Amino acid sequence: MQVEQQGQLICVGVGISIGAHITPIVKNTIAQADIVFAAASDGLFELWLQDIHPNVVSLQQYYSEGKSRKITYQEMIEALLEPVRQNKKVVAVFYGHPGVFVNPSHKAIKKAHDEGYQAHMLPGISAEDCLYADLGIDPGKYGCQHYETSQFMFYQRVIDSTAYLILWQPIFAGDRSHTIREAKSEYFELLKNKLYETYPSDHLVTIYQAATNAFDHQRSTKVKLVDLNINDISQQSTLVIPPAKSLILCQKMTSSLKKAKLLSVS
């Protein structure tokens, strides 16, 4: 059995709105770190972090034009683990929730565990949490299906049109290279064609973007599916497609429940 080392990695989420969503435990964890890594492209984000901890290193240095994000993520993982191997307490800070659409956090924690180091994750308010609040959606009412947009396109999925369909990162629709930073209109049209298989062309969908600071406002625009345009999509956009059909009662299950006396006959 491998002996646990003294180094430690903690991946934390500070929420979507800078300064407003951070939890006390996350703030305290950042303050007690030996070194803090910031995984955000916003300069204000790093300045805000420096008020909590003076030693902040940006992970944005590993991105470059035309470079595969897979390579970038691997370099980030190594950057996080290097000081851990020097027995330091490392905190990696991510927008939103550190485990939601964040590749390096999961892989870095797993690698740290494999090498015998302590590593865990502290949650934060994600864009999904903001979406439910801003759009007034209760995921328990009709149900929700969540997919990364390109994955939704590449694989066969059984879409339930009586539930919400939420597509994340539509800006990267159809990207297999992991290099594009802007959407390609031809890929986006293929996405729309796939949606036409389940939804009528005049079905209203919502382009949603959460507020990222106290001075910003959430943005939600409703358009017909046929009018959905790639130029209206940003890197922060999420596509929300409401149910197109009503829920259908399962008569077989209802009958079985009645027979089992688990459902009132009245």
Side-chain angles (χ1 to χ4, degrees):
M1 184 175 179
Q2 193 171 14
V3 178
E4 193 172 79
Q5 307 295 323
Q6 292 182 353
Q8 185 178 11
L9 171 65
I10 308 174
C11 295
V12 305
V14 293
I16 297 298
S17 184
I18 299 176
H21 288 169
I22 188 171
T23 62
I25 189 171
V26 166
K27 187 173 183 179
N28 187 57
T29 298
I30 295 171
Q32 293 181 351
D34 293 317
I35 182 171
V36 173
F37 286 90
S41 58
D42 190 340
L44 289 176
F45 181 82
E46 293 180 23
L47 288 175
W48 169 72
L49 275 180
Q50 287 171 1
D51 284 338
I52 304 175
H53 195 287
N55 188 12
V56 176
V57 178
S58 174
L59 290 174
Q60 293 302 305
Q61 60 185 296
Y62 299 105
Y63 286 106
S64 62
E65 193 67 31
K67 181 179 179 181
S68 171
R69 290 191 294 278
K70 288 185 177 180
I71 297 175
T72 295
Y73 295 157
Q74 188 57 45
E75 291 174 345
M76 287 180 174
I77 292 166
E78 287 303 311
L80 294 177
L81 289 177
E82 184 178 353
V84 172
R85 296 177 184 124
Q86 298 169 5
N87 292 327
K88 293 183 179 179
K89 181 178 181 179
V90 177
V91 174
V93 183
F94 298 88
Y95 264 134
H97 191 297
V100 178
F101 288 93
V102 181
N103 180 294
S105 59
H106 289 287
K107 290 189 175 181
I109 288 174
K110 182 182 183 303
K111 190 165 186 178
H113 286 160
D114 290 344
E115 295 182 13
Y117 297 100
Q118 296 182 46
H120 65 278
M121 186 179 288
L122 293 177
I125 294 175
S126 68
E128 179 185 348
D129 300 311
C130 296
L131 184 152
Y132 292 145
D134 291 335
L135 301 185
I137 294 174
D138 178 358
K141 187 173 184 180
Y142 300 113
C144 289
Q145 307 153 98
H146 295 262
Y147 299 108
E148 192 276 332
T149 301
S150 289
Q151 187 192 74
F152 170 76
M153 296 170 68
F154 296 154
Y155 297 96
Q156 295 183 12
R157 299 285 191 177
V158 179
I159 302 304
D160 181 0
S161 61
T162 68
Y164 281 92
L165 173 62
I166 300 176
L167 297 179
W168 299 93
Q169 299 178 331
I171 194 77
F172 298 130
D175 177 36
R176 283 188 180 274
S177 67
H178 300 278
T179 60
I180 68 170
R181 303 300 291 271
E182 296 180 356
K184 293 185 178 294
S185 58
E186 58 269 34
Y187 292 172
F188 199 73
E189 288 305 311
L190 290 174
L191 168 64
K192 289 175 65 175
N193 289 338
K194 185 176 179 68
L195 291 172
Y196 288 145
E197 296 174 5
T198 305
Y199 302 94
S201 60
D202 62 351
H203 190 59
L204 284 178
V205 303
T206 299
I207 303 169
Y208 170 75
Q209 182 175 326
T212 57
N213 60 66
F215 305 102
D216 196 7
H217 299 282
Q218 65 90 6
R219 303 170 194 176
S220 56
T221 305
K222 290 185 177 181
V223 298
K224 292 180 180 179
L225 181 56
V226 69
D227 296 326
L228 189 61
N229 192 299
I230 190 60
N231 295 323
D232 299 325
I233 303 293
S234 73
Q235 288 199 19
Q236 291 75 38
S237 297
T238 300
L239 193 57
V240 181
I241 304 172
K245 297 179 180 178
S246 299
L247 290 167
I248 302 173
L249 191 67
C250 179
Q251 297 293 345
K252 181 179 180 180
M253 179 57 70
T254 302
S255 176
S256 297
L257 289 170
K258 286 180 178 179
K259 289 179 180 179
K261 298 181 180 180
L262 295 175
L263 185 67
S264 173
V265 177
S266 60

